[in-house]
Every structure is written in structure tokens, then in C-alpha cells.
Amino acid sequence: MDEALFLTVFQKAIMLIMVIGAPILLSAIVVGLAISIIQSVTQIQEQTLTFVPKIFAALLVLVFAAPWMVDTFVTTTTELFEYIKVFIS
């Protein structure tokens, strides 16, 4: 197995993880930041207040982005499985 091929496969796997996880993480970050700004303005210092909206935002993004995530995952995984032929020979 060539080092360049291994690095390409590893790079594609890491990129897949980042692309699939980014929408959920970004939505949680944006909602958390908005709630934190509201807490700063109103001087409410409740730490547990941010968790429920972040969870709902992440689940909402997951519901709407799930078809795209599954399609991206299947496409990239199929592409990575094609490299198995090269690994074997």
C-alpha cells in the first residue's frame, strides 16, 4: 500500500467526519451564543438555561439535514470501499 493512498483515504475520512458533524455543532454554537447574549443583557445567571435550546436546535438540524448527511456518508463510504481493491492488490 502506498503512503499517498493511505493519506488520501485518511484525509477523506477526517473530512467526512467534519462535514457531517459541522451543521449540528454550528447550530448548537449559534444558539448557545444567542442565549448567552440574552443572559448577559438580562443578567440572568442560570447555567442550565442554555442546554435545552441547544439540544432542540441540534435535533432540529439533525432532522432536516439527515437525508443529506446519509447521502454524503454513503457516497463517501462507497468511494472509500473502492480503495479496498487497491489495498488488496
Side-chain angles (χ1 to χ4, degrees):
M1 177 170 57
D2 190 17
E3 286 182 17
L5 181 61
F6 174 75
L7 290 176
T8 301
V9 170
F10 189 72
Q11 180 183 10
K12 285 185 179 278
I14 295 296
M15 204 56 144
L16 176 66
I17 292 168
M18 291 185 342
V19 166
I20 288 178
I24 296 171
L25 292 174
L26 288 175
S27 68
I29 288 172
V30 168
V31 169
L33 182 64
I35 297 294
S36 295
I37 290 172
I38 292 170
Q39 281 182 327
S40 296
V41 170
T42 60
Q43 295 182 353
I44 298 173
Q45 298 301 321
E46 182 62 35
Q47 296 296 324
T48 59
L49 184 63
T50 61
F51 291 120
V52 173
K54 281 196 276 189
I55 291 172
F56 282 140
L59 287 176
L60 188 67
V61 168
L62 182 62
V63 165
F64 286 114
W68 170 79
M69 289 177 172
V70 169
D71 183 52
T72 304
F73 183 77
V74 168
T75 303
T76 308
T77 303
T78 304
E79 185 179 316
L80 290 175
F81 279 147
E82 291 296 322
Y83 286 118
I84 291 177
K85 296 175 187 174
V86 177
F87 290 151
I88 294 173
S89 60

